[in-house]
Amino acid sequence: MRILGLDIGDKRIGIAISDPMGWTAQGLETLQRSSNEKVLAHLQEQIHIYEVSTIVCGLPRNMNGTYGPKAEEVRKFGEKMKERFKIPVVYWDERLTTVAAQKTLLQGDVSRAKRKEVVDKIAAVFILQNYLDSKR
């Protein structure tokens, strides 16, 4: 069974998937946000295709460790996923994952336009990989 990692933003959702053994995270796609129903339907399809057993959502925290309004939005969306998919939803600290993703893409000399397309997917990879590493 695989684990799905999500970097949930206002405009896009980065999606990553683990390998079947749960050792590595690979970027899957960046999904443009639309209605919650469309997003949930797409995620349900991915959960079925990849036989996902758990979802890991990046939880935005302030640098001092407190939670803001974005964290509450992610939790509400997580509850919708939990109700609909009937699988565990885990929250993982996502501080600096987008910064790390941007830095990685800059080091890879990826163009500004391409970075915008993939940064959320790469952030989802960082979130999921950090979660997987913590489980070992």
Side-chain angles (χ1 to χ4, degrees), residues 13-29:
I13 298 176
I15 305 173
I17 191 77
S18 74
D19 68 286
M21 300 298 292
W23 293 342
T24 62
Q26 295 87 37
L28 194 56
E29 65 183 321

Side-chain angles (χ1 to χ4, degrees), residues 101-119:
Q102 286 280 12
K103 186 175 180 179
T104 299
L105 293 168
L106 282 169
Q107 288 173 342
D109 201 26
V110 176
S111 72
R112 181 184 300 249
K114 186 67 174 169
R115 282 195 311 263
K116 187 176 180 180
E117 291 176 22
V118 300
V119 69

Side-chain angles (χ1 to χ4, degrees), residues 67-125:
Y67 297 103
K70 294 291 181 200
E72 186 57 33
E73 290 174 24
V74 169
R75 283 190 182 114
K76 284 181 183 178
F77 191 74
E79 286 304 312
K80 288 179 185 179
M81 289 189 294
K82 196 183 300 186
E83 288 173 20
R84 181 168 178 154
F85 307 141
K86 309 292 189 233
I87 60 175
V89 174
V90 177
Y91 301 100
W92 195 257
D93 186 353
E94 71 166 23
R95 280 181 286 187
L96 301 178
T97 55
T98 300
V99 172
Q102 286 280 12
K103 186 175 180 179
T104 299
L105 293 168
L106 282 169
Q107 288 173 342
D109 201 26
V110 176
S111 72
R112 181 184 300 249
K114 186 67 174 169
R115 282 195 311 263
K116 187 176 180 180
E117 291 176 22
V118 300
V119 69
D120 299 296
K121 175 173 64 173
I122 302 300
V125 170

